Amino acid sequence: MTTAAHILNQDYHEAPGRKTALAATRNIGIMAHIDAGKTTLSERILYYTGKSHKMGEVHEGAATMDWMVQEQERGITITSAATTCFWLKHRINLIDTPGHVDFTAEVERSLRVLDGAVAVFCAVGGVQPQTETVWRQAKKYHVPILAFVNKMDRTGANFYRVVDEMRKKLGATVVPISLPIGSEANFSGNIQVIDQKAYRYEGQDGAQVVEYDIPAEYQEKAKEAFDYLIECLAEVDDSIMELYLDGKTPDKEQIKTALRTAVVAGKLVPALCGTAFKDKGVQLLLNAVVDYLPSPVDIWETKGTDPDTEGPITRHCGDDQPFSALVFKIMNDPYVGKLAFIRIYSGMAEKGATVINPRTRRRERLGRLLQMHANSREERDVIYCGDIAACVGLKNCTTGDTICDEGNQIVLESMTFPDPVISIAVEPKSSAARDKLFAALAALSDEDPTFTINSNGETGQTIISGMGELHLEIIMDRLIREFKVEANSGQPEVAYREAILNPATADSKFVRQTGGHGQYGHCVLNVTPMERGHGITIENKVVGGAIPKEFIKPIEQGIREAASTGVLAGYPLTDFHVDIVDGSFHPVDSSEMAFKIAASMGLKDAARKGGLCLLEPIMKVEVTTPEENMGDIIGDISARRGAVIQVDTRESTVQIIANTPLSELFGYATAIRSLTRGRASYTMEPNHFERVPTFIQDKIVEKSQK
């Protein structure tokens, strides 16, 4: 097996107690659009690898990886579950991720710590909106991908159409390495392109894979797929190119080595097919995971920054290296308390060891180390390099924190999460439950970076925000069931943003004279509107010591605090840049608080001078409907201020993709059911923010002022 360590001619060292070699470890995630069959596939993987002895079915609420009550009731995955299994003497750390867009943060943080991913596609639905989102997330973290076209037994299944869609919509170079024999109800097995052999699945639950010769009617297709694979490999591998130009056919090992290198480099995406529910094709997928997805050794170097100098530094894998790990998930467990899920990039974690969190500069103790299997756990004394595990005892850690060896500190690249788009007000049913409610909300916020809690200063209400109606519905459900807190909630409201229209300058002075020391803060700010998604950036351009350095940070804090409460209607102000250009100070009266207040007043003054507008979240909505209802759906979207982007006809159904304001989509599930007599389905995901029309903005501002 060619690994990065061999390529670089480097050595990595393994601890004597390690049972599985580092090069034989695979950290993989299963990702897809909702209802493509991720959890069913995970259940089959656990069954065939001997991790579980009975297959749990999603529709029966018995899937091992969907252990939450809310997941079992709804038949969807809400939280990413981790487990470990073994196949062909390889250790596979597996994470099953959610498909619903409301839980996109779970996918984001899982992909950040994984070395490879299996993207699952429905053979009927093909490339769906959330597939594109998770694909982008995987590419962002340079995660190599295997594609598995599932549900080949469904009516309307078409492997070749899905592969073609992947090439067009995802811009990927997809090479089929497994072809279907039959389709829909007649799907019976696979052709392995590299072996040029056919396989069928016999015995209980298809556990026996039987090899036979390719049927005559499929031989031409198998030869075409083989030739295409060699052509694609020749474009990315010099040794295959030489053989190709000499008219020679590379042998099986040469093909596998070249394909593995191309997959690890993100140049090719091998595609396989099967039906997880009918127990076909899963073992061949597991073989491909072992053969083509990377081990921690292939990733070799992990980049980070030095917490003192902020310069770039690296760690490479090996049990003998200085310890570094990333906290990628926090979970509240009723039995052990706060669980921190970690991925170890270098060194080892030992039970009872002391580590440091460079963000807080605080030491932390690894109390207990746990190997997780969904919601059950196994105690471990040591967790080795490349492993994913959970630890108890980290008190001040949050998602995205690095924990490392105190003498060799590093800050690993963290994660970015989308802003919440929907809010509701919550209040306890009794005053006695108030403290319990806030403690429960704080615990849920620790777990989920896309769930935020704010207090409305004017009304005194507690406002919780999330990624969608389902997200907040699950939060309210968990408050009652897990935390035993009875709470009332208001109607969902859109999380608007405010933006500045034109550049402006503010000269802001805060002066107070009291009996003793006074207060004096003075700063001049240039505020410039930026493009959508820019966020808030601040630069210090003060020269000649007009403002002492120790007051620059309070000015930045004042700007950010003022931005968080907005100017126009109380919504966060975003997408602008501030230059601190001038100011003055008093040797006695100046204080951090005075400069903070001056900066806050200055930002609000500049924002009013530059003019303000409201931004609203625009959702990408995909509706699948029978052809006869197409006109009704498009008319309804237009009435909701939506813009249709694309219309695709597939056999008897039509897919309509539109950008529509979130404020117009509350209750859309009921509306679409009544329009099509329950025959249409839809999905939506946050796409971008756009300026609110003036007549609607006036109403929102008026309402906020009341």
Side-chain angles (χ1 to χ4, degrees):
M1 185 184 294
T2 306
T3 63
H6 298 143
I7 293 165
L8 295 165
N9 196 26
Q10 304 249 26
D11 287 323
Y12 63 94
H13 297 280
E14 295 181 351
R18 178 187 274 278
K19 290 178 183 172
T20 308
L22 194 52
T25 300
R26 300 287 180 272
N27 292 314
I28 67 161
I30 303 215
M31 60 179 201
H33 184 86
I34 192 167
D35 207 29
K38 296 178 300 304
T39 303
T40 303
L41 177 60
S42 300
E43 293 300 316
R44 297 306 184 267
I45 287 172
L46 295 184
Y47 179 76
Y48 293 130
T49 56
K51 187 70 184 179
S52 60
H53 303 291
K54 182 179 181 294
M55 294 184 193
E57 300 297 359
V58 176
H59 61 276
E60 292 170 0
T64 309
M65 302 296 267
D66 282 355
W67 55 270
M68 285 174 71
V69 179
Q70 293 86 349
E71 294 178 316
Q72 291 165 357
E73 287 178 352
R74 291 168 170 82
I76 61 169
T77 302
I78 292 167
T79 183
S80 52
T83 190
T84 299
C85 54
F86 294 86
W87 184 257
L88 302 178
K89 297 182 180 175
H90 282 64
R91 178 194 193 96
I92 298 174
N93 294 319
L94 177 75
I95 294 183
D96 176 31
T97 66
H100 199 287
V101 68
D102 283 19
F103 310 107
T104 190
E106 287 290 324
V107 186
E108 181 89 17
R109 59 183 169 193
S110 299
L111 286 169
R112 167 64 186 86
V113 297
L114 292 171
D115 300 329
V118 175
V120 184
F121 296 80
C122 171
V124 182
V127 176
Q128 294 164 290
Q130 188 61 7
T131 321
E132 296 181 51
T133 305
V134 294
W135 196 274
R136 279 197 306 274
Q137 287 171 312
K139 288 295 168 197
K140 176 173 152 188
Y141 295 115
H142 310 291
V143 177
I145 299 169
L146 281 182
F148 183 71
V149 180
N150 192 25
K151 304 193 178 185
M152 283 301 302
D153 58 317
R154 286 260 310 270
T155 304
N158 188 328
F159 173 72
Y160 300 99
R161 189 195 72 232
V162 176
V163 168
D164 196 45
E165 275 188 25
M166 288 163 66
R167 289 171 182 150
K168 286 176 182 169
K169 291 187 178 180
L170 304 174
T173 306
V174 183
V175 285
I177 59 168
S178 166
L179 304 179
I181 297 175
S183 67
E184 302 182 349
N186 299 318
F187 176 69
S188 61
N190 299 83
I191 295 162
Q192 285 299 80
V193 173
I194 296 172
D195 298 345
Q196 289 290 292
K197 288 285 181 186
Y199 295 87
R200 63 174 176 266
Y201 308 90
E202 295 179 354
Q204 187 182 355
D205 304 316
Q208 291 169 297
V209 183
V210 180
E211 181 187 300
Y212 64 105
D213 289 331
I214 297 171
E217 65 269 31
Y218 289 98
Q219 284 176 0
E220 194 178 327
K221 240 177 189 152
K223 178 76 170 64
E224 277 175 21
F226 183 82
D227 292 342
Y228 178 71
L229 172 62
I230 301 301
E231 282 174 30
C232 289
L233 287 175
E235 286 179 19
V236 296
D237 189 283
D238 292 342
S239 59
I240 302 290
M241 174 62 87
E242 282 177 30
L243 292 168
Y244 183 71
L245 293 174
D246 291 342
K248 294 176 184 172
T249 303
D251 64 33
K252 187 171 147 185
E253 283 310 308
Q254 287 172 314
I255 293 169
K256 282 190 166 184
T257 302
L259 183 55
R260 186 173 205 280
T261 306
V263 172
V264 171
K267 292 174 181 174
L268 297 180
V269 177
L272 299 95
C273 62
T275 165
F277 186 55
K278 295 286 176 69
D279 314 311
K280 292 181 175 73
V282 180
Q283 296 97 321
L284 298 182
L285 174 65
L286 279 166
N287 291 348
V289 165
V290 165
D291 287 340
Y292 307 120
L293 287 182
S295 74
V297 184
D298 293 292
I299 309 305
W300 189 242
E301 273 191 340
T302 302
K303 291 182 172 65
T305 53
D306 186 311
D308 296 320
T309 66
E310 296 190 357
I313 51 173
T314 58
R315 289 272 187 279
H316 69 75
C317 64
D319 294 335
D320 63 335
Q321 296 298 307
F323 171 72
S324 67
L326 187 77
V327 177
F328 69 95
K329 179 174 175 169
I330 300 291
M331 192 173 100
N332 287 289
D333 187 284
Y335 303 106
V336 297
K338 188 173 171 180
L339 272 180
F341 282 75
I342 60 169
R343 156 73 197 265
I344 300 180
Y345 284 95
S346 63
M348 301 184 296
E350 294 184 40
K351 184 178 173 181
T354 301
V355 296
I356 194 162
N357 179 342
R359 179 182 65 85
T360 60
R361 304 281 177 167
R362 286 187 175 185
R363 290 190 185 93
E364 299 269 9
R365 189 171 173 274
L366 302 176
R368 291 163 65 194
L369 298 174
L370 306 170
Q371 189 73 60
M372 300 300 290
H373 175 52
N375 67 329
S376 62
R377 59 192 72 79
E378 173 195 332
E379 294 266 355
R380 293 270 299 272
D381 291 329
V382 182
I383 304 291
Y384 297 100
C385 177
D387 275 357
I388 290 172
C391 53
V392 183
L394 300 181
K395 292 185 172 65
N396 299 299
C397 276
T398 185
T399 300
D401 277 357
T402 301
I403 52 171
C404 58
D405 181 54
E406 192 172 358
N408 291 276
Q409 293 186 33
I410 185 173
V411 178
L412 301 171
E413 183 198 355
S414 191
M415 295 155 266
T416 53
F417 298 104
D419 291 330
V421 296
I422 187 169
S423 306
I424 56 173
V426 292
E427 59 183 31
K429 284 193 176 176
S430 65
S431 56
R434 182 172 293 278
D435 290 345
K436 208 174 170 186
L437 172 66
F438 289 137
L441 289 174
L444 289 168
S445 180
D446 271 352
E447 283 188 18
D448 186 349
T450 58
F451 170 64
T452 60
I453 314 153
N454 291 296
S455 180
N456 186 316
E458 291 175 9
T459 63
Q461 285 181 309
T462 301
I463 308 293
I464 61 171
S465 307
M467 296 305 296
E469 287 181 272
L470 178 63
H471 189 192
L472 295 181
E473 189 185 312
I474 298 289
I475 293 284
M476 294 305 295
D477 195 28
R478 288 185 66 189
L479 280 176
I480 295 163
R481 294 199 202 194
E482 279 176 47
F483 296 92
K484 308 289 187 286
V485 177
E486 293 289 329
N488 296 320
S489 60
Q491 288 299 309
E493 288 194 7
V494 177
Y496 292 101
R497 298 279 180 274
E498 295 181 11
I500 300 168
L501 294 170
N502 303 298
T505 300
D507 188 332
S508 176
K509 209 175 259 189
F510 176 70
V511 184
R512 288 283 182 278
Q513 199 57 52
T514 54
H517 278 313
Q519 294 283 355
Y520 183 94
H522 172 217
C523 57
V524 180
L525 309 177
N526 285 346
V527 182
T528 312
M530 304 300 282
E531 71 278 0
R532 297 289 160 262
H534 176 86
I536 301 169
T537 51
I538 303 166
E539 193 176 341
N540 175 22
K541 288 190 174 176
V542 176
V543 290
I547 302 174
K549 278 189 177 175
E550 63 266 27
F551 295 132
I552 297 299
K553 199 150 197 172
I555 290 174
E556 290 183 9
Q557 288 171 346
I559 290 167
R560 292 187 187 277
E561 280 182 23
S564 68
T565 54
V567 181
L568 186 65
Y571 296 105
L573 185 65
T574 189
D575 299 337
F576 63 88
H577 175 78
V578 179
D579 287 321
I580 309 164
V581 291
D582 201 3
S584 61
F585 73 103
H586 189 281
V588 177
D589 290 352
S590 282
S591 67
E592 289 190 0
M593 182 56 71
F595 274 99
K596 197 172 175 182
I597 295 168
S600 177
M601 289 161 50
L603 179 71
K604 291 187 176 184
D605 183 31
R608 289 189 191 98
K609 284 180 186 171
L612 289 152
C613 69
L614 281 185
L615 304 174
E616 62 181 339
I618 304 294
M619 310 298 279
K620 182 182 179 184
V621 183
E622 181 177 300
V623 182
T624 304
T625 178
E627 267 185 284
E628 61 263 33
N629 299 115
M630 183 173 82
D632 295 333
I633 295 290
I634 290 175
D636 183 61
I637 287 169
S638 299
R640 293 172 186 270
R641 297 195 285 125
V644 174
I645 304 165
Q646 192 179 325
V647 177
D648 285 337
T649 306
R650 289 182 180 175
E651 294 164 15
S652 59
T653 62
V654 177
Q655 267 188 332
I656 300 161
I657 299 173
N659 282 340
T660 311
L662 174 63
S663 57
E664 304 288 345
L665 288 170
F666 293 133
Y668 191 53
T670 310
I672 202 171
R673 274 201 293 271
S674 60
L675 275 175
T676 62
R677 296 179 189 169
R679 294 172 70 198
S681 63
Y682 80 99
T683 59
M684 64 175 174
E685 61 176 339
N687 197 29
H688 63 281
F689 277 84
E690 217 169 77
R691 190 171 171 178
V692 176
T694 309
F695 73 97
I696 294 174
Q697 179 174 308
D698 292 344
K699 287 180 189 171
I700 296 166
V701 173
E702 190 184 329
K703 185 181 169 188
S704 77
Q705 286 168 350
K706 281 181 184 174

